[in-house]
Amino acid sequence: MKWLVILGLVALSECLVIIPLTKVKSIRENLREKDLLLNFLKEHPYNMIQKFGLKGSLCSPKISCLRLWNYLDMVYVGNITIGTPPQLFSVIFDTASSDLWVPSNQCHSRACVTHRSFNPTLSSTFQSSNRTVKLAPHSGLVSGLLGYDTVQIGRFKSENQAFGLSQSEPVKELENAFFDGVLGLGYPSLAIQGTTPVFDNLRKQGQIPEPVFALYLSTNTKKGSVLMIGGVDNNFFTGNLKWVPLSARNYWQITLDRITWRGVVVGCTRGCQAILDSGSAFLLGPSRQISSIQKIIQARFIENEYQVRCCARTTLADFIFTINNVQYPVPARAYIRKGSTPRRCYSNFSGGTESLGKEETWILGEVFLRLYFTVFDRGQNRIGLAIAV
């Protein structure tokens, strides 16, 4: 219980590792600036929630499936190294998956050759499992091998860490990505069968002083965002952390009381589930409710995207997400994003979560996480929320 006192005081100790995260241009904006987005969206229809609910049935019983998803709007990346001597990679730290993957030097797809790739022959600590893994995104099929090596995050080293080495990446989105791979921070139940996620491996090896990590996603375009491992720094939020127990232990899933706009319930009318997902840019919900919300904010479906008048960012009311009887406002400046050109703004709401199951589910992505500093507490199976500075 001693560490709970430390978290209560939220003290920064010498044991806390802070990993700088950089906000980079999203794939969507990159494609838009090249005048490629419209054709891309027409040729490659996508599901914003493809990464949720993927099961082993996608592959044969002898092959493990590694989750992958749509990458068009993921924008925060940090650096890790793999191997001895270390090979550098930029990755997305994703709270809604649990595996680590990077491109292999044996991959000759355009998405691989335009990014850094791992060369097993240059690492003295690499071990091959000779086990095939298949990554199943919404289009194409990414395949590779499962390997083991030393993974370093800050000063933490995860020895004999399992990770995927992609050998084929036909997925077009990845060609325009500003990152090399993904490092999952979800529960072990989401990981490839028989493997241990990075965070759990660090914990087993006694490297993490406390079983927590935290995310601060700054609105600054280049600097300021961080991933904290092993503790919390109170300089990144104001007020007290409000704790919310998890309702499931795979994704970071909680109970959401309701969503209101100007006092009217517009979503989650009878209570529902919510997943906090650093790997999604949007606020996602059931298509019917999202359609109503798009009408409320007067979003129009133009060129395969929901466009909103930019003046609405300063005139529309907040959406209120009530969690554990605490209200968390999401203002218009957050749920309406500026485009790369003047007078072009877009809705940060997206639908499709009804495919996750019978129970109503919402996904709180970076739109929400930028507003609220979030502590992910594996020791107590809960999250902590506070207003980000």
Side-chain angles (χ1 to χ4, degrees):
M1 298 298 290
K2 180 180 179 181
W3 71 272
L4 290 178
V5 176
I6 296 175
L7 272 184
L9 296 175
V10 199
L12 175 63
S13 72
E14 61 180 9
C15 296
L16 171 63
V17 166
I18 295 182
I19 310 300
L21 301 180
T22 303
K23 184 180 181 184
V24 297
K25 191 180 300 179
S26 71
I27 299 176
R28 184 184 298 270
E29 292 302 324
N30 194 21
L31 289 170
R32 184 181 286 118
E33 289 181 4
K34 296 177 181 178
D35 293 325
L36 299 174
L37 180 61
L38 181 57
N39 286 337
F40 181 89
L41 294 178
K42 288 180 178 179
E43 295 173 4
H44 303 278
Y46 58 90
N47 183 349
M48 289 297 300
I49 59 166
Q50 183 64 39
K51 70 173 170 177
F52 294 94
L54 292 180
K55 303 297 182 183
S57 58
L58 289 168
C59 304
S60 69
K62 296 182 180 180
I63 297 177
S64 300
C65 287
L66 181 62
R67 293 163 180 81
L68 191 65
W69 53 95
N70 176 275
Y71 291 101
L72 282 180
D73 288 277
M74 297 180 183
V75 290
Y76 292 92
V77 300
N79 290 332
I80 66 169
T81 64
I82 305 175
T84 308
Q87 300 178 39
L88 180 68
F89 297 93
S90 294
V91 298
I92 294 170
F93 292 95
D94 177 41
T95 59
S97 67
S98 298
D99 298 301
L100 167 64
W101 72 268
V102 295
S104 163
N105 68 322
Q106 298 178 27
C107 177
H108 301 293
S109 303
R110 180 174 173 79
C112 290
V113 298
T114 55
H115 293 87
R116 285 170 287 210
S117 60
F118 182 77
N119 188 340
T121 63
L122 298 181
S123 175
S124 62
T125 48
F126 176 78
Q127 296 181 16
S128 175
S129 68
N130 295 318
R131 180 178 171 188
T132 301
V133 292
K134 295 229 178 246
L135 299 82
H138 62 87
S139 61
L141 187 65
V142 177
S143 61
L145 295 174
L146 183 69
Y148 294 83
D149 211 328
T150 299
V151 175
Q152 183 161 354
I153 308 175
R155 68 169 178 271
F156 293 149
K157 285 187 177 182
S158 179
E159 307 287 350
N160 197 34
Q161 177 62 54
F163 68 107
L165 296 91
S166 60
Q167 295 179 307
S168 173
E169 292 187 9
V171 187
K172 294 295 183 181
E173 293 95 321
L174 297 179
E175 295 179 12
N176 294 279
F178 283 84
F179 60 91
D180 305 309
V182 174
L183 191 155
L185 292 169
Y187 276 72
S189 57
L190 295 178
I192 298 174
Q193 186 176 7
T195 66
T196 303
V198 173
F199 185 84
D200 292 83
N201 218 20
L202 290 172
R203 189 177 176 185
K204 286 182 178 180
Q205 295 170 10
Q207 296 200 47
I208 299 178
E210 307 297 345
V212 299
F213 64 91
L215 276 174
Y216 172 76
L217 301 183
S218 171
T219 54
N220 188 294
T221 55
K222 293 183 179 180
K223 297 180 180 179
S225 302
V226 297
L227 165 68
M228 306 171 194
I229 301 177
V232 181
D233 182 354
N234 63 348
N235 291 313
F236 291 90
F237 64 91
T238 61
N240 298 319
L241 287 165
K242 304 295 185 182
W243 295 102
V244 185
L246 296 184
S247 55
R249 300 179 186 179
N250 37 46
Y251 304 113
W252 288 91
Q253 183 172 321
I254 59 175
T255 298
L256 178 62
D257 300 337
R258 59 192 166 276
I259 304 170
T260 57
W261 192 77
R262 290 182 175 173
V264 177
V265 178
V266 295
C268 194
T269 56
R270 299 179 181 177
C272 60
Q273 295 297 295
I275 296 168
L276 284 91
D277 179 13
S278 62
S280 294
F282 292 87
L283 296 168
L284 295 99
S287 296
R288 181 177 296 180
Q289 286 91 324
I290 292 297
S291 179
S292 298
I293 288 175
Q294 304 290 26
K295 292 179 181 178
I296 288 174
I297 65 177
Q298 298 182 345
R300 296 183 298 166
F301 195 65
I302 302 174
E303 297 181 344
N304 283 29
E305 295 187 280
Y306 279 96
Q307 297 187 17
V308 189
R309 292 177 302 160
C310 289
C311 62
R313 299 183 80 246
T314 58
T315 59
L316 289 180
D318 299 349
F319 282 89
I320 308 296
F321 288 73
T322 302
I323 302 171
N324 207 22
N325 295 317
V326 177
Q327 294 186 348
Y328 295 92
V330 176
R333 60 176 170 78
Y335 64 77
I336 299 174
R337 72 184 184 279
K338 293 181 180 179
S340 56
T341 58
R343 299 182 181 179
R344 284 288 183 95
C345 290
Y346 303 89
S347 169
N348 275 334
F349 285 98
S350 186
T353 62
E354 63 273 12
S355 64
L356 297 181
K358 295 181 180 180
E359 189 170 12
E360 181 179 343
T361 303
W362 289 71
I363 299 171
L364 308 184
E366 291 173 359
V367 173
F368 187 86
L369 296 175
R370 278 192 288 264
L371 297 171
Y372 299 101
F373 178 87
T374 307
V375 179
F376 299 82
D377 181 355
R378 281 288 300 277
Q380 293 290 306
N381 298 308
R382 60 182 184 172
I383 64 164
L385 296 169
I387 298 173
V389 296

